[in-house]
Amino acid sequence: MSAPVDTVDPRPEAPPAGRSKRTAGFLLAGLLVALVLAGGVSHYASSEPDGLNKVAIDKGLDQHEKDSATAGSPLADYGVEGVESERLSGGLAGVIGVVVTFTLAGGVAYVATARRRRAAPPR
Amino acid sequence: MHVPDGYLDGPTSLACAAVAAAGVAVSLRGSRRELDERSAPLAGLVAAFIFAVQMLNFPVAAGTSGHLLGGTLAAVLIGPWTGVLCVSVVLIVQALFFADGGVSALGVNVVNMSLVTVVVGWGVFALVRAVLPRTRGSVVVGSVLGAALSVPAAAVVFTGLYAVGGTADISTGTVLAQMVGLHVLIGLGEALITGLTVSSVLATRPDLVHGARHLAGRTLDIRTPETALAA
């Protein structure tokens, strides 16, 4: 007689009360970490070329490199156009990126589940 | 590892865009099995976190840096299908807003940094999880190994793409050796960041780690000496 530890993971149907509040707290804490990393810590990141760029420079993969079509974007190269301070410009760009990415990915995930919601409306 | 415009020729970029679009479309369908409306914001958080950590280039060798790719991390935290979506959103935001990675190379970058890292990272993770005991520690070990291997795998795929459609005539052997050599090192950083992040979430909210769902209910597993022996 073995203990039934191998049951198929059931989707949590009705989370216990308090679970969603805790998840909201986790979400806020996680976002705060992301904002601090992108908005502050990123200032101290290495500015050396990354692995691919380094190989490209050393071996000439970049001979025909073209400027990105978005090179003129006000956020190009992780800075905000018109902001003088490098630290502020980079930090602000990071914060904007975190907010945009969160919204877009959360939105995509929400839409992805929409069809299931229509098929099986919440009880 | 963001490929700029002009490294790969048009046909290769276009073919990658088609593969990337197909991969994202399949992942959209697959993600329905991993997500519900309550977990959708968590997918947003995973993507936002990866965006942030990708800004943190760490030094790996003389004059070279690396950063997280995040495919393994996303797959373990939120599921492989949703993981593809998360990393792809990061790459799209980077290409369109931050001019990081070319726009015509977006398909190339989604293939390399989203599809390949998730497939390899999750594949290794699932393999390790199946072999090791059912513990949180095994989840971390699987994440670390998956992350470490996913980065050189992406470097190998890039080299293959460059061999087919590179715009400069450089020996594939040279590109392969250089790319893999540096990305083995970057993979160590990827493994460290992935391991630390997965451990932290496991310590606070293990129920939110997709790759640890098989451990759910473990705490309710009442064991007498007899059942423990039998199990």
Side-chain angles (χ1 to χ4, degrees), chain A residues 100-118:
Chain A
V100 170
T101 308
F102 173 77
T103 311
L104 212 59
V108 167
Y110 189 81
V111 169
T113 63
R115 193 181 296 183
R116 203 180 65 213
R117 276 198 303 284
R118 278 201 301 276

Side-chain angles (χ1 to χ4, degrees), chain A residues 1-7 9-15 19-20 22-24 26-27 30-31 33-35 37-39 41-79 90 93-110 112-117 122, chain B residues 1-7 28-29 31-45 47-49 51-67 82 85-86 89-90 92-104 109 134 158 162 167-170 174-175 178-179 182-183 186 200-201 204-205 207-208 213-214 216 218 221-223 226-227 230-231:
Chain A
M1 284 266 287
S2 101
V5 288
D6 202 24
T7 48
D9 144 58
R11 192 177 300 281
E13 277 161 26
R19 169 77 64 84
S20 59
R22 280 181 65 214
T23 302
F26 178 86
L27 209 61
L31 271 177
V33 170
L35 288 170
L37 292 179
V41 180
S42 62
H43 184 71
Y44 303 96
S46 165
S47 50
E48 299 285 2
D50 77 5
L52 171 64
N53 291 337
K54 174 72 174 165
V55 176
I57 295 163
D58 287 357
K59 303 295 168 191
L61 273 68
D62 57 351
Q63 289 167 40
H64 303 285
E65 180 175 347
K66 288 186 227 124
D67 260 355
S68 165
T70 57
S73 151
L75 294 170
D77 298 320
Y78 299 92
V95 167
I96 294 170
V98 165
V99 172
V100 170
T101 308
F102 173 77
T103 311
L104 212 59
V108 167
Y110 189 81
T113 63
R115 193 181 296 183
R116 203 180 65 213
R117 276 198 303 284
Chain B
M1 202 193 279
H2 295 68
V3 178
D5 286 329
Y7 276 32
L28 265 172
R29 291 187 66 86
S31 70
R32 276 190 249 146
R33 268 172 278 154
E34 296 168 345
L35 290 169
D36 53 42
E37 60 270 37
R38 284 188 309 272
S39 57
L42 290 170
L45 175 59
F49 183 79
F51 174 88
V53 179
Q54 283 205 358
M55 287 180 77
L56 308 179
N57 282 60
F58 48 84
V60 286
T64 312
S65 73
H67 62 72
T82 316
L85 298 181
C86 288
V89 165
V90 170
I92 290 167
V93 169
Q94 287 168 332
L96 297 188
F97 292 85
F98 296 92
D100 188 12
V103 175
S104 71
N109 285 320
R134 302 164 66 86
F158 169 79
Y162 202 85
T167 51
D169 190 20
I170 298 148
T174 307
V175 179
Q178 298 283 319
M179 282 297 287
L182 283 175
H183 287 91
I186 296 172
S200 309
V201 183
T204 47
R205 287 295 302 271
D207 58 312
L208 296 183
R213 280 186 176 184
H214 65 302
R218 194 76 201 259
D221 178 23
I222 298 161
R223 289 191 168 195
E226 291 78 21
T227 61

